[in-house]
Amino acid sequence: MSVDLVNQIITGLLTGLVYSLLALGLSVIFGVVRVVNFAHGEMTALAMYGAWALSTYLDLDPLVGMPVVVVVMFAAGYLLQRGLVDSFVGKPEHMQFILMVSLAIIMVNSSLLGFGPDAHGIQVSYGFDTYEVGPLLIDKVRLLAAGASLAISLMLMAFFRLTLMGKAIRACADNLVGAKVIGLDVKRLYAVTFGIGTACVGAAGALLSMLIDVMPPTGPELTLLAFIIVIVGGLGSMTGALLGGMLIGVSEVLAGYFLMPSMKSMFSFAILILVLVLRPQGLLGAKR
Amino acid sequence: MNALSPMLSPPILSIEAVVKNFRGLRAVDGVSFTVAKGEIVALIGPNGAGKTTVFNMIAGVFAPNDGDILLEGQSLVGLRPDQVCRAGVGRTFQLVKPFGNLSVEENVVVGALRWAADVAEAKRLAREVLEMLGLADKRRLPARSLTLPDRKCLEVARALATRPKLLLLDEVMAGLRPAETDRMVETFQRLNRETGLTIVLIEHVMRAVMALSHRVVVINSGKPVCEGIPAEVVRDPRVLDCYLGEEAV
Amino acid sequence: MKQRLALLALVAAFALAPLAAGPYLLSVLMLVLTMAYLGQAWNIMMGFAGQLSLGHSLYGGLGAYVAAALFVQFGIPGALGLVAAIAVAVAAGAVIGALGFRFGVKGVYFALLTIAFAEFTRVLFEHIPGLGGPGGLFLPVASRAGVDLLYLRGHPLMFYYLILAMTVGIFLLCRRLLESRLGFYWLAVREDQEAAAALGINVFRAKMWAVMLSAGLTAAGGVFFAFYYNTLFPTQAFGMDRSISIILAPIVGGLGTLFGPILGALILTPLGETITWGTEALGFNAAGLKQLFYGLALLGIVKFLPDGVWPWLRRRLGWDGDEDGSA
């Protein structure tokens, strides 16, 4: 195996970890609220624009600006669930789809109005720094983004395992009636969950803004990407999302390496189709 | 009512030592019984005895792990639910499953299409069945607007419309008032008498079991306990034991 | 009866419209009819049989590309290409249906499967040689006069009456289907698969008929698209946006009803045009503003009329229990 290929795989793994965080947000929302967020990528694109604006106008490094983006996105998600999405919980899937699609249309076109059709990218001062490990070259930006993603993902898992609120949210997901019987405020917990999901989106968006440029079509592409990862890993499985992200990250670079970069999404969709048909619960998902 | 005469005719249904495991749990463990043509047999037992599992195996929802199920000598094992229906077995669901957004009449038409040559003929039969079960005046209503007793009735109407040789009734009397139970019992008796319809029913309402069934099969914890005519079975100490035993837990 | 009269009046209005309407209004009306037609085709699968397809652009795109490629590469007339187009789309529908229904891919997972196939095909078609790639496939236009239904070339009015005939045709077909054995099977499957199977319905087969029929009819719409607009791009023909625009009319109009897709198209297309006109009249022409308002309007409709406009209108008019009684 050539050194170049190994380098590519490492790049894929690191990018994939950021994808994982993005997918985690989608998985959490679907796993608990049972609403499929078809505006997930569009939300991510908004977070990327946010990180770009903080970096451009306030000179904030995306890693520093990230907490700001996360807080804003949490609040936005919380309010969105309370004000709009909540009345669609338990409705047929096509209704939720139309709801989310109209939100996505609004978001894409707002960003088009606000930022124009051009690509926006952030160039940090350490953008071209690399670490040399033997013959391997690892981008500093990518390593930082991946490390931050992994740290946040682990914190999120700890939150759901260890804290009372995390356990309460899991209770809603496992047994809604039971959760209501023991007096949990389900509507509030749903809003918190949606907020956590969009906070993941915020964090992933801020980190992605260091790796890729954002423009209006980025949103829909990221929505599909997040879906592929979540389904491949297993909807509702957090480790599945982590694994799925890395898998898709690697498959993208391999498709680019062996075929054509423009065919990478085709490769991902082929994986998705295979998983849906052969193992619909995903690689790590529990049997439905 | 002569309980013995139907026994002389050949069995329409024979359950032969069926076994069903769910993830290591043995839900049904060697249950056997036969049902003669024209007979009404009640399958009773405490909650969790495996009654509905037996029904689901007959209806093709899942196949038994062991044993055989024969309808007029032909094995039903391995057939899909729709094939079992077309072989002549109609069923109702314990938790009723009306086609909520269709009208009462349309619900029954779907059943009648099992054998009807066209939709018009299916509609004619649906009308007849609805008259017989007293739902005719509600035929234009959407099924979701019906009360629970009416939904149970619709469940029966739909199954009857498929013109089954054998009808499986899963707790259709539960939740009915005594007067409604009596009406339902009377309907089944008439069907049985006039068309020779064979019925196997799962029932907790003893009033209905006693009035309707020619013979009772008792199972508990997936195993057969005993069988016989209703008046004898209810006095059988083994039967009392399995019900009281359950209460003592 | 009232519905029949309303329908006849509608068809007459559409048929006579070219007498009064200018080219702009005609192009809007064609858009209405195309949306209504494609929406009705999708409605068969989702509204009748209850199977959610969010990748319906796949069938339209396949139809468009197959017929267009046969014409461009081999000079095969559009009307013959139509047959091949439908065959390919039906086969694609059969593959997706067989995979999805056999392996128990249900609900939102099935919807994602349909999206995955559409997106896969989109990228695939960007890489198939001879189809123009991302740069697009263009159909030569010799003349925009006359009527050549074999080659599907001719005056815009020919296309207008063609799509009108297709829309009326699919409406009548769907009405017949709903009164047929298959129609009852679909509705039963949509409402409760387990109960449907217990009544002797082969659920798999019923669903396969729905997806294949819907795919074939959608492909015919795609062929129309290709020969009317004469340009095809994979990103548009197979794109998510196309899939969304296909499903909007029946959902806004009323899912599973016969009038829903027409009514939805009659609401949505003029709405889009009005927004364009309004924003321009007010002096705004920023890119994205039109779609932004469109998104807001859509949001309003799903929020306040979740069952669609037709069931609501039918209640207001007191036409409940007339034909088209299905929910």
Side-chain angles (χ1 to χ4, degrees):
Chain A
M1 205 155 45
S2 71
V3 173
D4 189 30
L5 183 58
V6 177
N7 270 329
Q8 292 280 338
I9 291 176
I10 291 173
T11 304
L13 278 176
L14 294 178
T15 315
L17 275 171
V18 184
Y19 291 168
S20 300
L21 181 57
L22 180 65
L24 211 53
L26 185 66
S27 192
V28 164
I29 294 174
F30 181 81
V32 179
V33 189
R34 291 273 141 198
V35 167
V36 181
N37 184 9
F38 277 98
H40 204 71
E42 286 79 359
M43 291 176 177
T44 315
L46 286 187
M48 291 173 78
Y49 281 116
W52 176 85
L54 289 175
S55 156
T56 308
Y57 300 119
L58 299 177
D59 209 19
L60 282 182
D61 185 289
L63 287 173
V64 183
M66 186 171 74
V68 181
V69 178
V70 166
V71 169
V72 172
M73 288 298 287
F74 176 85
Y78 186 95
L79 294 174
L80 190 65
Q81 170 69 27
R82 276 252 123 140
L84 192 60
V85 180
D86 198 63
S87 55
F88 285 80
V89 170
K91 290 273 170 67
E93 277 128 10
H94 67 273
M95 296 301 307
Q96 301 175 349
F97 176 74
I98 296 292
L99 170 73
M100 288 303 173
V101 160
S102 43
L103 286 175
I105 294 175
I106 292 168
M107 285 181 222
V108 169
N109 291 290
S110 308
S111 59
L112 184 60
L113 282 170
F115 297 92
D118 300 330
H120 288 62
I122 300 174
Q123 201 59 58
V124 284
S125 56
Y126 46 87
F128 294 107
D129 294 0
T130 51
Y131 297 112
E132 284 183 46
V133 185
L136 302 175
L137 292 171
I138 299 171
D139 299 340
K140 185 176 176 184
V141 199
R142 215 170 285 278
L143 192 64
L144 282 174
S149 285
L150 189 60
I152 295 169
S153 304
L154 294 177
M155 273 162 54
L156 203 62
M157 287 182 185
F159 168 79
F160 281 112
R161 294 263 147 74
L162 305 177
T163 68
L164 206 56
M165 180 175 261
K167 287 177 187 168
I169 290 174
R170 273 169 49 212
C172 293
D174 286 347
N175 186 342
L176 187 56
V177 178
K180 282 180 178 161
V181 166
I182 61 167
L184 293 178
D185 183 351
V186 172
K187 276 189 193 299
R188 185 171 141 263
L189 290 174
Y190 274 7
V192 170
T193 307
F194 208 96
I196 290 173
T198 50
C200 287
V201 161
L207 296 171
L208 268 180
S209 70
M210 301 200 292
L211 304 179
I212 56 172
D213 292 349
V214 57
M215 46 187 167
T218 310
E221 281 168 24
L222 289 177
T223 297
L224 292 172
L225 181 79
F227 271 116
I228 295 174
I229 294 169
V230 165
I231 300 286
V232 169
L235 255 176
S237 159
M238 301 185 87
T239 28
L242 272 180
L243 183 80
M246 288 188 278
L247 190 72
I248 295 301
V250 172
S251 98
E252 279 194 346
V253 294
L254 290 185
Y257 188 84
F258 290 109
L259 301 162
M260 266 180 273
S262 57
M263 289 176 95
K264 65 181 186 185
S265 66
M266 196 168 121
F267 210 70
S268 310
F269 282 112
I271 296 179
L272 174 62
I273 291 168
L274 280 180
V275 168
L276 273 175
V277 169
L278 298 178
R279 202 177 152 79
Q281 72 271 36
L283 296 178
L284 293 184
K287 216 170 169 74
R288 281 179 290 134
Chain B
M1 186 165 58
N2 186 344
L4 287 176
S5 64
M7 298 286 284
L8 299 173
S9 43
I12 185 166
L13 177 76
S14 16
I15 309 287
E16 297 176 355
V18 289
V19 173
K20 182 68 200 174
N21 302 317
F22 290 117
R23 290 190 194 149
L25 182 89
R26 189 152 279 207
V28 173
D29 189 2
V31 169
S32 302
F33 60 90
T34 58
V35 180
K37 210 173 179 61
E39 198 180 14
I40 300 179
V41 173
L43 186 60
I44 68 166
N47 286 323
K51 304 178 298 280
T52 298
T53 306
V54 170
F55 262 29
N56 279 333
M57 282 188 282
I58 301 171
V61 175
F62 35 69
N65 296 99
D66 199 10
D68 205 354
I69 296 166
L70 304 171
L71 183 75
E72 295 181 321
Q74 302 284 319
S75 177
L76 293 179
V77 174
L79 296 188
R80 291 189 311 267
D82 57 300
Q83 293 169 322
V84 173
C85 171
R86 270 175 275 147
V89 180
R91 75 164 299 185
T92 68
F93 291 92
Q94 186 181 354
L95 296 169
V96 290
K97 294 176 180 292
F99 302 131
N101 288 313
L102 305 192
S103 72
V104 168
E105 182 178 61
E106 285 167 332
N107 266 266
V108 183
V109 167
V110 172
L113 281 169
R114 206 275 286 179
W115 59 268
D118 54 31
V119 174
E121 192 179 358
K123 281 189 174 158
R124 271 196 300 279
L125 182 90
R127 206 65 66 87
E128 276 172 37
V129 172
L130 287 170
E131 298 270 348
M132 184 171 66
L133 290 173
L135 277 174
D137 49 334
K138 291 174 182 147
R139 67 176 193 275
R140 310 274 307 222
L141 294 177
R144 69 180 124 80
S145 69
L146 295 183
T147 58
L148 183 69
D150 280 344
R151 284 178 196 215
K152 296 246 172 194
C153 207
L154 176 62
E155 193 84 5
V156 174
R158 226 167 41 176
L160 278 179
T162 67
R163 287 199 174 162
K165 298 173 202 159
L166 169 66
L167 182 62
L168 307 176
L169 301 173
D170 198 347
E171 294 203 30
V172 285
M173 319 280 181
L176 300 196
R177 285 186 289 271
E180 290 161 343
T181 305
D182 288 348
R183 207 187 71 192
M184 197 79 116
V185 165
E186 203 180 296
T187 309
F188 290 131
Q189 280 172 336
R190 203 176 69 230
L191 272 167
N192 175 256
R193 203 168 49 234
E194 288 170 6
T195 67
L197 178 70
T198 312
I199 299 174
V200 178
L201 65 152
I202 293 175
E203 201 50 79
H204 282 299
V205 180
M206 286 316 279
R207 180 191 177 90
V209 173
M210 300 301 284
L212 196 53
S213 55
H214 303 156
R215 199 155 51 88
V216 178
V217 175
V218 188
I219 63 174
N220 187 22
S221 309
K223 291 190 177 68
V225 176
C226 67
E227 59 176 275
I229 60 168
E232 279 171 12
V233 163
V234 290
R235 283 196 305 269
D236 191 307
R238 289 170 297 177
V239 176
L240 294 173
D241 205 38
C242 78
Y243 275 94
L244 291 174
E246 189 205 29
E247 241 147 75
V249 169
Chain C
M1 202 55 221
K2 281 183 206 149
Q3 282 188 16
R4 194 163 291 190
L5 285 176
L7 189 70
L8 280 174
L10 196 63
V11 173
F14 268 106
L16 296 174
L19 293 177
Y24 166 72
L25 189 58
L26 271 190
S27 73
V28 174
L29 288 178
M30 279 184 78
L31 220 52
V32 170
L33 290 170
T34 315
M35 262 188 115
Y37 174 85
L38 291 172
Q40 192 70 271
W42 177 80
N43 201 26
I44 292 176
M45 194 168 155
M46 175 63 196
F48 298 172
Q51 305 304 307
L52 179 56
S53 165
L54 298 180
H56 240 54
S57 63
L58 172 67
Y59 309 121
L62 279 177
Y65 262 97
V66 167
L70 288 175
F71 177 61
V72 173
Q73 297 288 340
F74 308 105
I76 293 174
L80 296 182
L82 176 71
V83 178
I86 290 176
V88 170
V90 168
V95 168
I96 294 175
L99 285 176
F101 305 144
R102 240 339 153 222
F103 289 85
V105 185
K106 281 180 228 136
V108 69
Y109 294 87
F110 180 74
L112 290 172
L113 185 72
T114 62
I115 294 179
F117 267 102
E119 287 291 312
F120 179 88
T121 316
R122 172 177 67 81
V123 187
L124 182 71
F125 269 67
E126 287 178 352
H127 293 89
I128 294 180
L131 293 184
L137 180 65
F138 300 91
L139 284 75
V141 183
S143 107
R144 287 196 192 277
V147 174
D148 187 346
L149 281 171
L150 178 62
Y151 275 86
L152 293 178
R153 309 273 77 184
H155 196 270
L157 268 182
M158 176 192 94
F159 286 99
Y160 179 82
Y161 283 108
L162 189 58
I163 189 70
L164 179 60
M166 284 167 74
T167 309
V168 173
I170 202 170
F171 179 93
L172 295 176
L173 174 71
C174 285
R175 204 177 63 168
R176 251 203 112 108
L177 281 171
L178 275 186
E179 286 162 4
S180 74
R181 173 182 294 269
L182 187 58
F184 275 97
Y185 286 180
W186 282 339
L187 297 181
V189 167
R190 178 189 78 188
E191 295 293 316
D192 193 311
Q193 297 194 19
E194 234 184 306
L199 296 178
I201 296 172
N202 185 332
V203 174
F204 177 76
R205 197 181 295 166
K207 290 199 278 192
M208 286 300 280
W209 273 114
V211 62
M212 285 159 63
L213 200 60
S214 180
L217 289 166
T218 307
V223 175
F224 174 84
F225 231 83
F227 283 79
Y228 176 62
Y229 290 104
N230 298 310
T231 51
L232 285 175
F233 301 98
T235 36
Q236 286 176 3
F238 296 102
M240 197 63 209
D241 288 350
R242 179 65 51 82
S243 294
I244 292 169
S245 76
I246 290 176
I247 76 175
L248 280 182
I251 290 182
V252 167
L255 197 65
T257 63
L258 289 171
F259 275 91
I262 300 171
L263 196 65
L266 273 173
I267 292 167
L268 287 168
T269 311
L271 179 73
E273 296 300 319
T274 311
I275 289 170
T276 309
W277 176 82
T279 45
E280 277 167 12
L282 290 171
F284 302 111
N285 47 13
L289 195 63
K290 179 196 158 185
Q291 285 84 352
L292 179 64
F293 280 122
Y294 193 74
L296 286 169
L298 206 55
L299 194 61
I301 294 174
V302 279
K303 181 89 179 97
F304 297 110
L305 287 175
D307 292 333
V309 177
W310 176 239
W312 170 81
L313 193 66
R314 195 172 51 189
R315 272 196 303 278
R316 294 299 299 263
L317 293 171
W319 287 4
D320 265 349
D322 212 349
E323 279 175 66
D324 195 16
S326 63

